[in-house]
Amino acid sequence: MIRLAIVCALFIAFAPSNAFADDFCFKAPGVLVPSHSGSGRIGDRLVYIPDMTFPLTAGGAAQLHAYCNSQVYGIGGMSGPAGDVNSRQNYKYCWKDNYCENRGWAMPLCSTGKGHQGMDCRPDAPVRGQYEAVAFADGIVTQVTSNTTVVVSGPNGTVCRYLHLAGDSIKVKRGDGVKAGQTVIGKVSSVMGGNPHGTSIHLHFDCSQVVSIGGAPRRVYIPIYTSMVAAYARALGISVSVTGGKLASGTIYERP
């Protein structure tokens, strides 16, 4: 029995850990940081896109990270601490939700009726045109704009947009079929309003579905933070529980 205990202790001590993912953590859905950034959708832990592939290349042999957080209220953002918007200080965990963050877009699922439509995610490092955005699901490209927005229609009526890509990196065109995690949509950059340096280096990713609002079906931008957390965990090879279609609370990766 003593020998067995020693063997078990040695196994635990030397068992390989996923060191790449050890630092990953996320704030609860709907919790916007800092508080003056707006009113998030608190309490909604539904995973709206349960089979989503994370839309940035992450994990794998290259051990690529992604940092989903505010582009406006972080270091160098318009309403954040002064500094470089692409400062390395923005490239750290924990993730923070920024669905419903203060914006002027009509957003019926946000408490104020307005807000940010999706999630902003920085790639592994602040380098333009290097990190790949990939298809979130098997689907069809339905739009590619001159301002480098690509729209992909996936299963069950889910439609997702990729914004701020490097123009010369977009090889897909309208009508192309895409494969989840395999088709490169483009490379993450900072294009906005025709300006190649119009925003921080990040992927804005948002998705819409038809949901019931006031008893009537409407296509709206849905909260995707929980879906992104679950998809990222799968990319890293770690476990984040989804129970009854909702992101389970109390996991070791969630921080207050």
Side-chain angles (χ1 to χ4, degrees):
M1 185 67 86
I2 294 174
R3 180 178 296 176
L4 178 61
I6 292 173
V7 170
C8 290
L10 288 172
F11 176 79
I12 293 170
F14 293 101
S17 67
N18 189 347
F20 160 56
D22 283 349
D23 292 335
F24 173 61
C25 57
F26 63 93
K27 299 290 186 177
V31 175
L32 309 185
V33 181
S35 58
H36 66 272
S37 64
S39 299
R41 189 173 169 83
I42 299 291
D44 188 352
R45 302 184 71 92
L46 181 66
V47 178
Y48 286 77
I49 313 174
D51 297 322
M52 172 192 285
T53 294
F54 191 67
L56 286 173
T57 301
Q63 296 194 351
L64 296 178
H65 298 253
Y67 304 94
C68 295
N69 53 38
S70 176
Q71 310 304 301
V72 174
Y73 294 91
I75 301 296
M78 292 182 293
S79 300
D84 176 9
V85 71
N86 295 312
S87 168
R88 287 276 183 173
Q89 295 178 71
N90 290 316
Y91 286 72
K92 62 182 180 181
Y93 299 123
C94 296
W95 277 18
K96 303 173 185 67
D97 197 353
N98 64 321
Y99 178 83
C100 293
E101 192 176 67
N102 287 335
R103 299 290 196 280
W105 305 104
M107 290 286 289
L109 296 184
C110 296
S111 61
T112 63
K114 294 182 179 181
H116 188 245
Q117 298 141 313
M119 282 301 301
D120 288 337
C121 294
R122 303 174 196 266
D124 190 71
V127 181
R128 292 177 178 85
Q130 176 170 319
Y131 299 103
E132 295 176 341
V134 296
F136 78 96
D138 292 352
I140 301 292
V141 176
T142 54
Q143 187 178 24
V144 180
T145 75
S146 60
N147 196 34
T148 76
T149 294
V150 177
V151 181
V152 174
S153 293
N156 304 317
T158 300
V159 178
C160 297
R161 302 190 304 172
Y162 298 72
L163 278 68
H164 313 309
L165 303 172
D168 60 0
S169 73
I170 300 173
K171 305 304 180 184
V172 296
K173 61 185 183 299
R174 184 175 180 180
D176 283 353
V178 296
K179 298 293 291 181
Q182 299 179 30
T183 304
V184 175
I185 303 301
K187 294 185 177 181
V188 180
S189 192
S190 51
V191 179
M192 188 168 72
N195 180 353
H197 305 291
T199 185
S200 58
I201 299 169
H202 75 281
L203 174 70
H204 169 98
F205 183 73
D206 60 40
C207 300
S208 66
Q209 290 179 348
V210 175
V211 300
S212 178
I213 298 179
R218 288 182 60 184
R219 177 168 290 279
V220 298
Y221 290 102
I222 55 173
I224 59 169
Y225 183 69
T226 53
S227 303
M228 297 281 274
V229 168
Y232 189 66
R234 288 192 293 271
L236 299 192
I238 61 178
S239 178
V240 172
S241 297
V242 176
T243 304
K246 296 182 178 181
L247 187 68
S249 59
T251 69
I252 62 172
Y253 301 105
E254 186 170 339
R255 301 288 189 270

